[in-house]
Amino acid sequence: MLNELTATPLFGIGLTLVVYVVAQKIYIRFRSLFLNPVAVTILMIIVLLLLLEIPYGSYRKGGDMILFLLGPSVVALALPLYRKRSEINRNRWPILAGVFCGAAGSIASACGIAWVLGASREVVWSISPKSVTTPIAIGLSEQVGGVVELTAAIVVVTGCLGAICGPEFCRKIGLRSETAIGLAVGTAAHGIGTARMLEVSRLGGAVAGLAIGLNGLMTAFLLPLLFLIFG
Amino acid sequence: MTNLLKGFAILLLLQFVGETIVRGADLTMPGNVVGMVLLLLLLLKGIIPIEAVEEAADLLLSHLALFFVPAGVGVMVYFDLIADQWLPISVATVLSSFVVMAVTGWVTQKMEQGEATDAE
C-alpha cells in the first residue's frame, strides 16, 4: 500500500513542501548560513527516501510538478530587472565585462582543476557548465558529451554553495558595490544564489537575475567553441 | 486574485512563446530565458503594465529556491559515479565557484570605479 501511495504526485509535492517548511523553521531558529533551507531540504528528502526505501522515480512524480514552476519563475525574473532598469543601464559595461570574465573563468577553472586531479573526460565536460542555470547547463552538457544527471547535480550543489557563503565571501574579498556582489553571486550560483541575493538586497537580487541569463548566453557561446578545439 | 491568475497566464504564455522561438530557431538557450527577455521588452515598451504581472511574479520569486529542490534530490541516483571520482568533482566545484565570484566581482567593481572617476 505504501508503494501505491508514494507513487502519486501527492507524495512528492507534499513531502517537498512539508520538509521545506520545517527547513525554513530550522533556518529562522538557528540563523546559521550552513542551514540554508534548500540544501537542508534536499538532504532531508534524500535521507528520508533512502531510509524508507522509496525509489527516486516515485518521488519524481510530484517533484516534476514543483520543478515545472521553475519555468514561469525564470520569466518572472524580468520584474526585478525592470524595477532596477536605470541602475543597470548606467552600469551596463561593467556588468557585461564582469559576467564575460566570470563565464570564461568558470569554464577554465572547473575544467582545469578537474583535469589536473585526474577526472575522466566525461566528468570534465559534465562539470564545465556548472555555474549556468539548470535548464541551460543540461542542454550544454548533452552537446559536449557530459553526463546530464551529473551536471544537474553539480549545478545544484554549486548553487547551494553560492547561496550559503556567496554574499559573505564577496565582502571578505573586498567587494563593496551591490552590483558587483549581486553579479558575482548570480554568475557563480545562478537561481539558487539569486534567491539568496533577493533576500539580501533588491539591487543585488535584480542584477543576480540578470547574471543568470547573461552567463547562460555567454557559456552557451564559449563552451561549444572549446569543445571544437579540445573535444 | 484576478490579477494573480492574469499574471500566471502572462508568464506561462511568454514561456510558451519562448519555447516556440527556441525550437523554431534551434537555439541552445532554454525557452524560459527567452521568455524573460520578452517580458522585459514588453514591460519596457509599456505593452504589459507591471501591475498585471507583479502579484504572480513576486509570489513565484519569493519561493524561487524551493523549485530547485527536486533537481537536487536527483543527485541520489548518481551516488556511484560521484563516489568514484569524488575528489576532482568536489574540489573543482568548490574552488571554481569561488574563482567565478572573485573574478566577476572584482572586474565589475573595478570598472564601476573607473567609470565613476571618468564621469567626475
Side-chain angles (χ1 to χ4, degrees):
Chain A
M1 194 184 74
L2 185 67
N3 281 341
E4 269 172 47
L5 279 175
T6 54
T8 62
L10 180 63
F11 172 73
I13 298 177
L15 179 68
T16 309
L17 287 179
V18 169
V19 175
Y20 187 64
V21 170
V22 172
Q24 273 186 322
K25 287 244 186 307
I26 296 176
Y27 179 62
I28 292 166
R29 172 82 179 71
F30 294 100
R31 276 287 155 205
S32 162
L33 294 175
F34 292 100
L35 293 175
N36 177 278
V38 191
V40 169
T41 306
I42 292 169
L43 278 177
M44 289 208 293
I45 292 177
I46 291 180
V47 170
L48 274 172
L49 293 179
L50 290 176
L51 282 179
L52 299 174
E53 292 180 10
I54 297 167
Y56 171 68
S58 299
Y59 168 77
R60 243 190 93 163
K61 296 214 170 90
D64 277 348
M65 294 194 175
I66 292 180
L67 197 62
F68 169 78
L69 290 171
L70 197 56
S73 303
V74 172
V75 179
L77 282 169
L79 241 75
L81 282 181
Y82 176 74
R83 288 187 180 129
K84 293 288 171 195
R85 59 192 177 281
S86 55
E87 282 99 327
I88 290 168
N89 194 30
R90 208 181 310 137
N91 284 318
R92 58 188 180 279
W93 295 116
I95 286 173
L96 283 174
V99 178
F100 183 80
C101 294
S106 175
I107 300 172
S109 61
C111 292
I113 295 167
W115 181 69
V116 166
L117 292 176
S120 68
R121 186 179 207 81
E122 195 182 47
V123 168
V124 171
W125 285 116
S126 303
I127 298 177
S128 63
K130 67 164 229 324
S131 281
V132 178
T133 185
T134 314
I136 308 185
I138 288 173
L140 286 173
S141 177
E142 208 166 31
Q143 224 184 347
V144 296
V147 184
V148 170
E149 291 80 1
L150 180 61
T151 301
I154 292 169
V155 167
V156 174
V157 172
T158 302
C160 289
L161 189 72
I164 289 170
C165 50
E168 290 68 26
F169 171 77
C170 288
R171 268 177 224 116
K172 276 244 159 66
I173 59 168
L175 297 179
R176 293 290 168 265
S177 134
E178 265 183 84
T179 312
I181 296 174
L183 211 61
V185 176
T187 305
H190 55 91
I192 307 180
T194 301
R196 171 86 204 284
M197 279 313 298
L198 284 167
E199 290 169 23
V200 179
S201 118
R202 287 192 127 202
L203 178 60
V207 184
L210 175 64
I212 299 176
L214 285 179
N215 188 14
L217 273 172
M218 291 176 185
T219 307
F221 169 74
L222 289 172
L223 205 56
L225 272 183
L226 200 71
F227 183 66
L228 281 180
I229 304 168
F230 293 104
Chain B
M1 184 61 198
T2 43
N3 262 345
L4 187 64
L5 289 183
K6 202 206 291 177
F8 269 111
I10 293 173
L11 293 174
L12 290 174
L13 182 69
L14 287 174
Q15 189 190 348
F16 186 78
V17 174
E19 300 285 358
T20 311
I21 293 175
V22 166
R23 300 269 159 89
D26 211 11
L27 304 174
T28 44
M29 286 264 93
N32 50 27
V33 173
V34 176
M36 169 175 92
V37 175
L38 287 175
L39 177 58
L40 183 63
L41 290 176
L42 292 170
L43 286 168
L44 288 172
K45 294 276 173 211
I47 297 169
I48 293 180
I50 186 162
E51 295 76 28
V53 278
E54 69 184 345
E55 221 175 303
D58 287 340
L59 178 66
L60 284 174
L61 290 182
S62 59
H63 300 290
L64 181 59
L66 168 68
F67 310 142
F68 287 95
V69 168
V73 176
V75 178
M76 64 186 282
V77 182
Y78 291 87
F79 276 158
D80 291 346
L81 181 62
I82 296 170
D84 211 34
Q85 303 193 31
W86 66 273
L87 185 76
I89 292 175
S90 51
V91 175
T93 303
V94 174
L95 274 188
S96 164
S97 300
F98 290 113
V99 169
V100 178
M101 286 193 275
V103 169
T104 310
W106 278 332
V107 169
T108 310
Q109 185 162 294
K110 274 271 169 292
M111 282 190 62
E112 271 182 322
Q113 286 162 352
E115 289 198 349
T117 25
D118 281 350
E120 272 164 26

